[in-house]
Amino acid sequence: MRVWLAVVLVLSIAACGPGQLSRPQAAKLLQEAPRIWEGNGVTFGLNEGKQCVQRENAALGQSGTDYKYLLGLATAGFLTIRRLEARDWSTDRDYFSDQMKCNPVLGQWITVDLTAKGKATPPKKYWFSGIGSAGGHFLTLAERRFVEVTGITTESDHDAKAEFTWQWEPTPVGEPLGFSRAPQCATATFKLYDDGWRLVSSGIVTEGQ
């Protein structure tokens, strides 16, 4: 009788185990969710030719992010930047008209030209041409990358939450721009169905959410 009782207890414990979400299970479900990692990177629209860009100005609360990206890409040899001067306008009328559109206190007129390196065909995953009505280039500078699951809490027999970390992984085009790889935290929710655990929400804002 004692032997049979022990067998029943072992079987009962074994049957309860798969119902709990484990860290490897949560990590697998998170990594296999394309809506989190694919198409939700840091992107930057690049146009060649004359354009007005905002400079960094802490007093006015301007980040000057686009200009920083341009400078980084120029440093990496993808393009050249030249600040336009008054002599670059054919008439005074055109010059003053453009100055009204791009206040010299807030921004500046520059011209951007791709170098031979920039015109070479980079990986299509990171560099797309012909985006927008004026053409240009659409660059993916960094993509999200899963790091690890750091903890799991059980809400009920059928609901669980997993805390995990992820980080930005610069693409070859974005590598020179100095993106921080510091881990960032998020909390995902899971629900147990008849066929196993499913990811309900990643805790990361993605396109379409």
Side-chain angles (χ1 to χ4, degrees):
M1 178 65 71
R2 292 180 179 178
V3 173
W4 281 107
L5 180 60
V7 171
V8 171
L9 286 173
V10 170
L11 291 175
S12 299
I13 293 172
C16 293
Q20 296 180 345
L21 180 67
S22 67
R23 291 192 184 191
Q25 283 179 308
K28 185 173 185 294
L29 289 170
L30 283 165
Q31 292 179 80
E32 292 178 349
R35 69 178 185 272
I36 305 175
W37 316 109
E38 297 178 8
N40 286 289
V42 178
T43 58
F44 174 59
L46 168 66
N47 290 310
E48 295 182 76
K50 187 178 77 171
Q51 53 199 279
C52 175
V53 293
Q54 285 193 335
R55 292 173 292 189
E56 185 174 10
N57 191 321
L60 296 175
Q62 295 176 184
S63 65
T65 301
D66 287 358
Y67 190 47
K68 286 182 179 179
Y69 287 166
L70 288 174
L71 289 175
L73 292 169
T75 301
F78 286 104
L79 52 85
T80 60
I81 300 174
R82 184 174 68 85
R83 184 173 180 177
L84 296 181
E85 302 177 2
R87 63 186 179 186
D88 290 302
W89 279 263
S90 57
T91 67
D92 289 344
R93 180 177 180 179
D94 291 338
Y95 171 77
F96 287 110
S97 175
D98 278 348
Q99 296 310 306
M100 293 294 292
K101 300 173 185 176
C102 186
N103 190 312
V105 177
L106 305 176
Q108 60 185 336
W109 282 104
I110 63 172
T111 183
V112 174
D113 295 292
L114 291 177
T115 62
K117 180 179 179 180
K119 291 178 180 178
T121 306
K124 291 183 179 180
K125 183 178 180 181
Y126 308 122
W127 188 299
F128 306 90
S129 296
I131 303 298
S133 59
H137 306 275
F138 191 66
L139 286 65
T140 300
L141 305 178
E143 298 176 313
R144 292 190 178 108
R145 187 178 73 83
F146 173 82
V147 179
E148 64 177 342
V149 173
T150 56
I152 292 178
T153 57
T154 302
E155 302 290 307
S156 69
D157 291 341
H158 296 83
D159 298 280
K161 290 184 178 180
E163 295 182 1
F164 68 99
T165 55
W166 63 276
Q167 65 184 23
W168 288 115
E169 187 70 25
T171 65
V173 176
E175 184 68 40
L177 304 182
F179 282 92
S180 171
R181 286 185 168 88
Q184 303 189 50
C185 301
T187 301
T189 57
F190 300 83
K191 183 175 285 291
L192 180 62
Y193 288 81
D194 59 329
D195 61 347
W197 286 96
R198 298 183 192 176
L199 175 66
V200 177
S201 173
S202 67
I204 299 177
V205 177
T206 58
E207 291 185 5
Q209 287 190 341

